[in-house]
């Protein structure tokens, strides 16, 4: 067998190379080199030669057998066909081998005629050179070991796929077994009736019709689409989707209900606040819009402009209507009415206020507008200008009224204002300090004054126009100077809006007004001192009316104190205001304290910083405080808590101090007995001094006693070591500190907090984890858009598949 | 004119039914409910005490075998059926709710070595000392019919254990070799041997269902893959493992019960060291079974006790014993995670609650919330010494108690000696060996 193999191998080599050539060539070459070959003569071709050979070998054998040594080589019959080779390579006899050199020789012969054989030649030579033998196969044990190794690697890799699932399960807050439980829903008909078949002809007919219409026969409940849906959407996905929908619906309903509620609210104040907030938000947005989207900003601006123009045309918020008049009557007594009116005015101011960017964008057009109807400008800009001028006369910079939008309150607090109070017919001027956000009364007064003044001014403008014309002509020069000076300083101090409006003013109108106010200011300076006191007096009367309830003597005293404090102060303030600045000293009340709250109460009382408001309110607070002190005093009537505590603390301190130990023995080394004193030096010698005491922890805390003794009864309930999973004491304490029970937590929170980690269903077999469970659970949370897509695909697929199936059926 | 009056919605204060509890408006302001930690601590203490008071795990015993119970099997589809094989070759089928035997089969001559139900629950397989594998119908034979096995396969050697594939028609037996059988054939489709002469237990992995593990008498645990021609790997330990059980929820963990009183949980990918060594028994551990949730397992021991271990805890959380219970040969955890069944030498099968103080039967919602709350409280305050002492206290039979003490002393002595040896020898020459490392001799690939 081996021999044969070798032969075949050796024959193959040249044959491979020859395949590349065409068949004709091959034939030719065969023919070529066969006659040339002298050494090897095939039996089939030349019988004579082979006959000679045989004779020769027989002769040789006969000779060798004579020696009697070679018995093995018996004459044997060999079939001619065995020795025949189409490549003219011959191994002689059964035991002979074909040697490579034989082939080579033939090849070399061939190479002379055919050059392509050189390659084969080389290969054969190489083959001859190589001596390496194949290695023995590995031992059985070793192969098995390798196999085992490989198999184990495979198995462990396979098993490792579960790692993520296992980790997930370990970390899960709650696991409900059996996993992947399907809810109990009514089973489908096809599941219930599986063995039912159509039998009667009628039934068959019906089913034929149903088939024709592609109605599902076995499962009448579900159409193919529904089926696809069922397949596409697993339970969890459906739940997810449902939850989402629910959430969306809930949000919508919340929003709707909120809107409804807000619409129903009747409080005007609420709506006002809302609107204000909206407006603010809008302004903010508008600023951003100016940068990002100028076109839209322009549109908005135009809208605003229109609004402003409309507002300026109407008398809507000018407090000139019936309502305003009635309110004005009430205003003296009713704070609410006053506030209402103030709000109206403010609204007007805001609406007519020209926004800054509009000035920049539409400067020219505004100029035109304003110039076209000067009456309008007069109407609503009388107040600001007057105020400006007044302030200018008093040598003050900013005019708070002009920047109403946001600067208003701060300006009020920051700067003193001049206020013009007019009585019903004659304009008199009282310069009083507005006092940084000061008394409500003064403010109200001021407001009232303002209303009156505006009304008055409108009148005076009309009445005095003629007079003013004349006067203006007379004092033209000085007035122009006066107007020019302040106007310059004004432009420096004020923001650009005021500049604009200032610019808009007609020269003539300005001069008239300046002249008027120059006069008024002079009058005011003359009357300032007496009128201030009058104003204060009127304020006091107002206060008295409002809310003062005196209960005890002390309160009464306090009241008087405050009055006496405030009265001169106001005077001084008024004086100061008439001069130049505002120094408004804080009102200090001193109250006799019987029990120090800090000493008695363990907790620090919250001190609320309230901006100074009307003294009436303060009075109320005082009252409350006094009531409290009363109550406390009553409660601790008999005992001096503080002193007791201090005593106790001292006692504890004494007890905790280490004491000297006296080791003297009476009668030791001297006479002892009743009335015999121990000698001093002896006592000193045997006295064991205590070590200096460790400073107490509470030595700097007057209201605390800290005991540093360990309470053994408590110790059994305390954790001595940090338990395992926690990394630091704080963590552990945190875990203990938060309560779980329904006493401290609402129902749902409790349910969440106390949810058990593992929930099993009674009477349900818990199957081991299976691949289906994991695969289905892994599939679901990934994509949310998936179900729809899937559905579509399935439908398409079904639509695609169905006709073919049908066709098949038809074929059958 | 509109008149405004105070009005309340009756829904806010009227109960829907008389069985409803009264609605109590609550104010959760923490200042109104002070001392939350001390109050909860007291509650936790009470809960712990009550738990111990109500800890009565013994449910009942199944009496009827005439020899020691050697093996048990759960029904794969029904919770109420238990199969048990005794040392006299008798197999009994039990109705657990009624606690009575409804069928008895004389299955083998000599011991019934192994019993397992088919995954569909319609038949079960037994192997015995008479070198046969028999398949039986689950239903008892009809009137007048003979009690005969469906199939009988006669093997060449004694079979010591059997386990069925989770969902396929193959099963595995062990004896002198580990054989994989097709249900339809009478000769094994595959048989594994690895230079050992006998195996005591073979178990299929319930999750990665083509994997198996077996305990061999050469103190090794061997892993197989049913699809491969050769075993995968084996780990040789200091003493022999009796049985093993795969975790039904975590594919690569299995626990083996060992003759050295311990149980070892291994990760099958890393056999060099066990993941956890579970110690507490005082005699050889004979059987182990995982809870179906894969969180705990139960072990039966020659020391006449049954212990429940958390899967990653080194010590048991529970020990069950009774005066009359002898060496526990086999133990099973019921498929609903509620009960534990132990079969012992003295011919009884005992049923225990898996959670000793659990209330059986239907719980009202309020009972449920209380149970959950108490459970959480106990968990929260478990590190407090007072509570821990109460929660951990168990009564032990004198023998076990004494032996435990003895063994602790022995262990301490060994440790001390090792320390001393280390102290008096060249540093590094006596390596520090962890408890996990101590028990594994080698891993053969």
């Amino acid at each position: 067998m081996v021999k044969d193999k070798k032969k075949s191998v050796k024959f193959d080599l040249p044959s491979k190379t020859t395949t590349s050539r065409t068949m004709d060539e091959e034939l030719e070459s065969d023919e070529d080199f066969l006659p040339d070959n002298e050494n090897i003569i095939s039996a089939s071709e030349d019988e004579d030669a082979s006959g000679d050979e045989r004779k020769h070998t027989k002769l040789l054998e006969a000779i060798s057998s004579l020696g009697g040594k070679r018995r093995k080589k018996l004459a044997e019959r060999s079939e001619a066909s065995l020795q025949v080779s189409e490549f003219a390579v011959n191994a002689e006899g059964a035991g002979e081998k074909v040697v490579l050199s034989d082939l080579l020789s033939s090849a070399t012969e061939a190479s002379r005629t055919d050059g392509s054989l050189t390659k084969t030649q080389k290969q054969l030579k190489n083959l001859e050179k190589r001596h390496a033998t194949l290695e023995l196969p590995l031992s059985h044990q070793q192969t098995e070991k390798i196999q085992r190794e490989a198999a184990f690697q495979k198995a462990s890799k396979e098993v490792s796929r579960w790692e993520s699932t296992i980790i997930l399960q370990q970390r899960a807050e709650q696991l409900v077994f059996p996993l992947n439980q399907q809810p109990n829903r009514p089973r489908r008909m096809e599941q219930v009736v599986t063995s039912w078949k159509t039998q009667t002809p009628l039934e068959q007919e019906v089913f034929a019709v149903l088939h024709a219409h592609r109605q599902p026969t076995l499962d009448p409940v579900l159409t193919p689409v529904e089926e696809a849906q069922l397949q596409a959407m697993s339970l969890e996905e459906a739940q997810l989707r449902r939850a989402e929908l629910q959430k969306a619906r809930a949000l919508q309903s919340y929003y709707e209900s909120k809107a409804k509620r807000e619409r129903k609210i009747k409080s005007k104040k609420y709506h006002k606040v809302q609107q204000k907030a909206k407006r603010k938000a809008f302004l903010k947005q508008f600023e951003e819009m100016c940068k990002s989207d100028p076109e839209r900003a322009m549109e908005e601006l135009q809208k605003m402009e229109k609004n402003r123009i409309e507002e300026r045309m109407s008398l809507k918020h000018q407090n000139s209507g019936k309502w305003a008049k009635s309110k004005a009557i009430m205003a003296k007594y009713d704070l609410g009415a006053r506030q209402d009116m103030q709000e109206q005015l403010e609204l007007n101011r805001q609406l007519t206020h020209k926004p800054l960017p509009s000035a920049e964008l539409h400067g020219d057009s505004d100029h035109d507008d304003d110039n076209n109807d000067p009456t309008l400008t007069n109407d609503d800009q009388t107040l600001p200008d007057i105020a400006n001028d007044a302030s200018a006369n008093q040598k003050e910079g900013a005019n708070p009224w002009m920047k109403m939008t946001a600067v208003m309150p701060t300006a009020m607090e920051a700067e003193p204002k001049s206020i013009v109070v007019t009585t019903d017919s004659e304009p008199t001027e009282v310069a009083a300090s507005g006092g940084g956000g000061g008394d409500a009364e003064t403010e109200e007064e001021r407001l009232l004054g303002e209303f009156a003044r505006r009304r008055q001014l409108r009148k005076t403008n009309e009445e005095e126009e003629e007079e003013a014309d004349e006067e203006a002509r007379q004092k033209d020069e000085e007035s122009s100077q006066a107007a020019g000076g302040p106007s310059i300083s004004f432009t420096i101090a004020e923001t650009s809006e005021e500049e604009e409006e200032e610019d808009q003013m007609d020269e003539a109108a300005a001069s008239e007004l300046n002249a008027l106010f120059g006069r008024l200011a002079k009058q005011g300076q003359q009357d300032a001192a007496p009128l201030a006191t009058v104003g204060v007096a009127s304020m006091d009367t107002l206060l008295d009316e409002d809310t003062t309830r005196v209960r005890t003597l002390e309160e009464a005293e306090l009241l008087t104190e405050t009055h006496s404090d405030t009265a001169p102060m106001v005077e001084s303030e008024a004086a100061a205001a008439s001069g130049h600045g505002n120094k408004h000293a804080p009102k200090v009340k001193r109250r006799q304290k019987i029990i120090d709250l800090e000493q008695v109460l363990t907790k620090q009382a919250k001190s609320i910083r309230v901006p100074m408001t009307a003294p009436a309110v303060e009075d109320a607070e005082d009252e409350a405080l006094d009531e409290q002190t009363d109550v406390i005093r009553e409660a601790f009537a008999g005992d001096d808590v503080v002193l007791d505590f201090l005593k106790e603390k001292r006692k504890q301190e004494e007890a905790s101090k280490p004491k000297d130990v006296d080791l003297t023995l009476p009668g030791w080394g001297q006479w002892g007995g009743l009335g015999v004193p121990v000698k001093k030096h002896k006592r000193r010698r045997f006295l064991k001094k205590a070590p200096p005491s460790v400073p107490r922890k509470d030595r700097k805390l007057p209201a605390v006693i800290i005991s540093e003794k360990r309470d053994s009864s408590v110790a059994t309930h305390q954790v001595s070591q940090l338990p395992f999973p926690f990394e630091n004491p704080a963590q552990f304490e945190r875990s203990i500190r938060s309560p779980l029970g329904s006493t401290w937590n609402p129902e749902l929170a409790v349910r969440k907090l106390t949810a058990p980690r593992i929930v099993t269903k009674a009477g349900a077999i818990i199957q081991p984890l299976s691949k289906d469970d994991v695969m289905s659970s892994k599939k679901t949370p990934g994509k949310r858009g998936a179900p729809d897509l899937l559905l579509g695909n399935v439908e398409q697929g079904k639509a695609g598949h169905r006709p073919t199936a049908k066709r098949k059926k038809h074929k059958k | 004119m509109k008149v405004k009056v105070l009005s309340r919605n009756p829904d806010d204060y009227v109960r829907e039914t008389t069985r409803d509890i009264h609605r109590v408006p609550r104010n959760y302001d923490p200042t109104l409910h002070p001392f939350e930690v001390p109050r909860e601590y007291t509650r936790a203490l009470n809960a712990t005490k009550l738990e111990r008071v109500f800890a009565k795990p013994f449910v009942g015993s199944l009496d009827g075998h005439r020899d020691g119970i050697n093996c048990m099997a759960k029904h794969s589809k029904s919770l109420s059926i238990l199969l048990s094989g005794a040392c006299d070759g008798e197999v009994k089928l039990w109705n657990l709710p009624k606690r009575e035997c409804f069928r008895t089969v004389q299955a083998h001559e000599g011991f019934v070595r192994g019993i397992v139900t088919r995954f569909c629950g319609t038949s079960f397989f037994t192997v015995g000392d008479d070198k046969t594998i028999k398949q039986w119908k689950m239903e008892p034979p009809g009137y007048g019919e003979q009690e005969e096995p469906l199939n009988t396969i006669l093997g060449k050697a004694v079979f010591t254990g059997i386990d069925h594939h989770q969902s396929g028609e193959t099963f595995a037996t062990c004896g002198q070799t580990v054989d994989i059988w097709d249900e339809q054939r009478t000769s094994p489709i595959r048989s594994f041997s690895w230079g050992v002469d006998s195996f005591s237990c073979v178990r299929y992995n319930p999750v990665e269902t083509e994997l198996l593990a077996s305990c061999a008498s050469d103190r090794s645990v061997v892993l197989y893959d049913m699809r491969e021609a050769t075993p995968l790997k084996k780990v040789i330990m200091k003493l022999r493992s009796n049985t093993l059980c795969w975790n039904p929820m975590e594919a690569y963990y299995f626990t083996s019960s060992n003759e050295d009183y311990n149980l070892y949980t291994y990760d099958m990918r890393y056999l060099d060291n066990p993941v956890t060594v579970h110690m507490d028994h005082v005699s050889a551990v004979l059987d182990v079974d995982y809870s179906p949730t894969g969180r705990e397992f139960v072990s039966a021991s020659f020391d006449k006790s049954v212990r429940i271990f958390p899967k990653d805890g080194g010590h048991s959380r529970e020990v069950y014993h009774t005066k009359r219970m002898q060496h526990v040969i086999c133990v099973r955890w019921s498929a609903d995670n509620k009960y534990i069944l132990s079969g012992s030498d003295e011919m009884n099968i005992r049923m225990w609650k898996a959670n000793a103080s659990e209330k059986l039967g239907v719980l009202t919602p309020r009972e449920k919330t209380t149970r959950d709350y108490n459970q959480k409280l106990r968990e929260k305050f478990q590190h407090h010494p007072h509570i821990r002492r109460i929660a951990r206290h168990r009564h032990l039979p004198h023998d076990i108690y004494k032996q435990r003490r003895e063994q602790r002393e022995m262990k301490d002595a060994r440790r001390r000696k090792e320390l001393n040896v280390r102290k008096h020898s060249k540093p590094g020459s006596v390596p520090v060996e962890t408890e996990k490392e101590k028990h594994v001799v080698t891993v053969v690939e």
Side-chain angles (χ1 to χ4, degrees), chain B residues 175-299:
Chain B
Q176 290 194 346
T177 57
V178 170
D179 297 328
I180 312 290
W181 303 77
D182 191 330
E183 282 177 5
Q184 310 299 328
R185 299 188 188 185
T186 54
S187 57
I189 52 174
R190 190 148 282 167
S191 93
F192 300 107
S193 61
W194 191 354
V196 223
D197 57 352
S198 81
F199 294 87
S200 61
C201 169
V202 63
R203 286 289 190 98
Y204 267 105
N205 187 333
V207 186
E208 203 59 56
T209 50
E210 312 301 313
L211 297 176
L212 300 115
S214 71
C215 301
S217 61
D218 69 340
R219 301 167 295 150
S220 66
V221 175
V222 193
L223 297 176
Y224 308 92
D225 189 336
M226 220 170 73
R227 295 158 295 191
E228 305 287 343
T230 52
L232 301 181
K233 215 172 207 182
K234 73 175 170 185
V235 55
I236 298 176
M237 304 174 71
K238 286 238 170 95
L239 282 179
R240 192 169 68 106
S241 292
N242 285 316
T243 47
L244 61 82
C245 188
W246 291 91
N247 190 327
M249 287 294 156
E250 303 182 351
Y252 40 76
Y253 290 118
F254 66 86
T255 302
S256 68
S257 60
N258 206 290
E259 285 281 327
D260 64 1
Y261 315 166
N262 295 339
L263 293 115
Y264 300 97
T265 299
Y266 279 100
D267 185 334
M268 69 156 273
R269 298 167 298 171
Y270 316 106
L271 291 175
D272 312 336
N273 285 324
V275 178
T276 323
V277 182
H278 310 274
M279 297 185 278
D280 262 352
H281 279 297
V282 290
S283 189
V285 190
L286 298 182
D287 200 8
V288 59
D289 192 34
Y290 261 96
S291 80
T293 58
R295 294 300 158 124
E296 290 172 326
F297 61 82
V298 61
S299 65

Side-chain angles (χ1 to χ4, degrees), chain A residues 34-306:
Chain A
L34 275 176
D36 294 340
N37 200 345
E38 291 174 351
N39 302 342
I40 305 152
I41 301 153
S42 69
S44 59
E45 276 184 25
D46 207 329
E47 285 194 8
D48 295 7
S50 64
D52 285 351
E53 281 283 337
R54 213 182 299 147
K55 279 173 191 171
H56 181 67
T57 50
K58 269 190 179 177
L59 183 68
L60 282 176
E61 278 170 9
I63 292 163
S64 61
S65 65
L66 283 175
K69 281 177 186 174
R70 284 200 177 178
R71 276 182 198 166
K72 276 183 186 174
K73 272 209 168 176
L74 295 173
E76 74 182 298
R77 274 184 70 180
S78 59
E79 280 181 54
S81 63
L82 263 179
Q83 293 167 5
V84 175
S85 152
E86 61 176 317
F87 298 109
V89 181
N90 208 354
E92 295 150 35
E96 293 292 317
K97 292 177 183 175
V98 175
V99 191
L100 197 61
S101 53
D102 296 346
L103 295 173
L104 273 177
S105 63
S106 70
T108 48
E109 289 292 314
S111 68
R112 280 171 205 160
T113 54
D114 192 7
S116 63
L117 272 174
T118 45
K119 203 178 173 187
T120 325
Q121 218 175 329
K122 268 185 192 169
Q123 281 178 343
L124 288 173
K125 272 180 185 168
N126 282 340
L127 210 73
E128 213 173 17
K129 277 178 196 167
R130 194 187 288 171
H131 295 293
T133 50
L134 283 178
E135 281 176 26
L136 273 176
L138 277 176
S139 68
H140 182 63
Q141 281 82 358
Q142 268 172 321
T143 43
E144 276 207 327
K145 191 177 175 184
I146 289 164
Q147 275 176 3
R148 282 198 299 261
E149 185 85 44
F152 177 77
Q153 292 301 337
K154 217 165 92 183
S156 60
K157 201 175 167 191
E158 207 172 315
V159 156
S160 296
R161 285 180 312 172
W162 293 96
E163 203 151 16
S164 57
T165 319
I166 289 167
I167 288 167
L168 268 183
Q169 277 201 1
Q170 279 167 354
R171 286 182 190 165
E173 292 277 297
Q174 189 177 44
L175 279 177
V176 181
F177 290 103
L179 298 166
N180 276 27
Q181 215 178 356
Q182 291 297 324
N184 283 330
R185 53 182 168 200
R187 292 172 73 197
R188 285 184 278 158
M189 189 61 85
E190 97 186 298
Q191 290 165 337
V192 180
V193 192
T194 46
S195 57
W196 188 71
K197 277 170 193 165
T198 54
Q199 283 165 341
T200 62
L202 177 67
E203 278 172 356
Q204 279 167 358
E205 210 168 299
V206 167
F207 271 82
V209 172
L210 286 178
H211 269 299
H213 290 280
R214 252 200 282 158
Q215 188 73 20
T217 50
L218 277 172
D219 181 17
V221 188
L222 297 178
T223 61
V225 179
E226 285 169 341
E227 186 98 326
Q229 272 175 338
L230 265 186
Q231 281 177 354
M233 194 186 289
S234 77
L235 174 69
E236 281 175 39
E237 275 167 3
Q239 279 171 342
L240 261 177
R241 239 182 121 171
R242 193 165 151 260
E244 268 174 19
L245 279 175
Q246 253 177 350
K247 198 184 168 191
R249 240 177 285 137
L251 279 177
Q252 197 184 349
S253 75
Y254 291 158
Y255 188 76
E256 274 172 8
S257 62
K258 196 185 169 194
K260 209 175 169 186
R261 188 158 41 80
E262 278 176 359
R263 241 186 296 127
K264 275 199 171 177
I265 290 173
K266 281 179 183 163
S267 160
K268 273 184 186 168
K269 191 177 178 188
Y270 172 78
H271 284 293
K272 260 178 227 160
V273 169
Q274 288 288 93
Q275 276 182 348
K276 207 173 182 183
K278 256 186 213 167
R279 227 176 295 141
K280 252 184 198 171
F282 171 75
L283 271 179
K284 225 178 222 174
Q285 202 191 334
F286 179 75
E287 273 168 26
E288 279 173 24
M289 213 192 282
C290 280
K291 286 168 196 164
S292 61
D293 193 358
E295 284 179 20
R296 273 196 65 195
M298 281 287 279
E299 277 173 30
E300 292 293 333
L301 251 183
Q302 276 164 1
K303 242 186 236 172
M304 277 162 67
E305 266 303 310
K306 205 185 166 194

Side-chain angles (χ1 to χ4, degrees), chain A residues 148 160 162 175 717 738 741 766, chain B residues 40-41 208 231 335 380 445:
Chain A
R148 282 198 299 261
S160 296
W162 293 96
L175 279 177
H717 299 286
S738 57
I766 300 166
Chain B
E40 287 220 315
Y41 174 77
E208 203 59 56
K380 184 179 166 187
E445 289 178 342

Side-chain angles (χ1 to χ4, degrees), chain A residues 144-145 147-167 169-173 175 177 179 266 603 715-721 723-726 732 735-747 750-751 753-758 760-771, chain B residues 2 4 26-28 30-31 33-37 39-41 43 45 75-79 166 193-194 205-211 223 225 227-233 248-253 267-271 292-295 311 335-338 369 371-373 375-377 379-381 383-387 444-445:
Chain A
E144 276 207 327
K145 191 177 175 184
Q147 275 176 3
R148 282 198 299 261
E149 185 85 44
F152 177 77
Q153 292 301 337
K154 217 165 92 183
S156 60
K157 201 175 167 191
E158 207 172 315
V159 156
S160 296
R161 285 180 312 172
W162 293 96
E163 203 151 16
S164 57
T165 319
I166 289 167
I167 288 167
Q169 277 201 1
Q170 279 167 354
R171 286 182 190 165
E173 292 277 297
L175 279 177
F177 290 103
L179 298 166
K266 281 179 183 163
K603 268 195 177 179
T716 54
H717 299 286
Q718 283 174 330
V719 181
S720 54
Q721 281 182 330
F724 158 60
F726 300 100
F732 176 65
S735 83
I736 293 295
R737 206 182 304 133
S738 57
L740 300 169
S742 55
T743 321
W744 298 274
N745 298 308
E747 176 73 23
V750 170
R751 231 181 273 167
L753 284 171
T754 61
R757 286 210 63 197
I758 288 176
T760 54
K761 204 184 158 207
I765 291 178
I766 300 166
Q767 295 288 1
L769 203 61
S770 74
K771 277 168 199 165
Chain B
K2 199 175 176 187
K4 281 186 180 175
R26 293 295 319 274
N27 187 350
Y28 292 107
T31 53
H33 307 284
F35 301 118
E36 56 261 26
V37 177
R39 283 165 80 186
E40 287 220 315
Y41 174 77
R43 285 179 197 181
L45 193 61
H75 193 279
S76 49
K77 290 285 171 206
S78 164
L79 283 172
Q166 194 62 30
S193 61
W194 191 354
N205 187 333
V207 186
E208 203 59 56
T209 50
E210 312 301 313
L211 297 176
L223 297 176
D225 189 336
R227 295 158 295 191
E228 305 287 343
T230 52
L232 301 181
K233 215 172 207 182
M249 287 294 156
E250 303 182 351
Y252 40 76
Y253 290 118
D267 185 334
M268 69 156 273
R269 298 167 298 171
Y270 316 106
L271 291 175
T293 58
R295 294 300 158 124
K311 73 159 192 232
D336 61 347
N337 198 30
K338 280 256 160 34
T369 48
R371 179 196 61 190
D372 293 346
Y373 180 44
Q375 173 65 35
K376 280 284 160 181
L377 280 182
E379 239 167 66
K380 184 179 166 187
F381 291 99
H383 303 295
H384 288 71
H386 211 59
I387 287 177
V444 187
E445 289 178 342

Side-chain angles (χ1 to χ4, degrees), chain A residues 504-544:
Chain A
Q504 285 156 26
M505 281 290 287
D506 285 344
E507 275 280 333
S511 58
E512 287 170 38
L513 289 168
N514 286 335
L516 169 70
F517 268 85
R519 222 159 25 120
L520 286 177
K522 273 177 192 170
Q523 275 186 22
Q525 275 170 3
Q526 289 166 3
D527 300 340
L531 274 174
T533 47
V534 169
V536 165
S538 66
M539 269 158 55
D540 277 356
T541 52
L542 264 177
L543 273 178
D544 286 339

Side-chain angles (χ1 to χ4, degrees), chain A residues 592-640:
Chain A
Q592 197 186 359
K593 280 173 192 170
I594 291 161
I595 288 181
D596 188 7
L597 282 180
E598 277 184 18
Q599 275 185 13
V600 174
L601 297 177
T602 50
K603 268 195 177 179
Q604 189 78 29
K606 276 183 191 171
S607 61
I608 303 163
R609 294 211 163 191
V610 187
M612 297 284 270
T613 47
V617 185
E618 266 177 30
D619 276 347
E621 270 183 14
D622 288 348
E623 226 170 84
L625 262 179
D626 289 338
E627 269 177 48
Q628 205 179 349
T629 49
D630 275 350
V631 168
I632 291 167
R633 207 185 305 150
E634 208 173 318
F636 297 105
D639 47 345
D640 193 351

Side-chain angles (χ1 to χ4, degrees), chain A residues 362-428:
Chain A
H362 292 272
D364 297 345
S365 66
D366 265 12
H367 276 289
D368 296 340
D369 282 349
D370 291 337
N371 289 333
N372 286 344
D373 41 9
T375 49
L376 271 180
T377 51
N378 258 355
D379 260 1
D380 52 23
Q381 287 187 348
T382 40
L383 161 71
D385 292 335
I386 288 157
N388 285 344
D389 288 358
S391 64
N393 287 339
Q394 290 177 351
K395 294 178 183 177
E396 282 172 8
N399 175 13
W401 295 114
M402 286 303 288
K403 26 183 174 176
M404 265 332 285
T405 48
V407 201
M408 170 75 175
T410 50
M412 292 240 285
E413 279 169 35
E415 295 160 337
K417 274 147 245 159
S418 66
I419 284 168
V420 183
V421 181
T422 57
T423 51
D424 35 8
S425 62
E426 288 184 19
T428 50

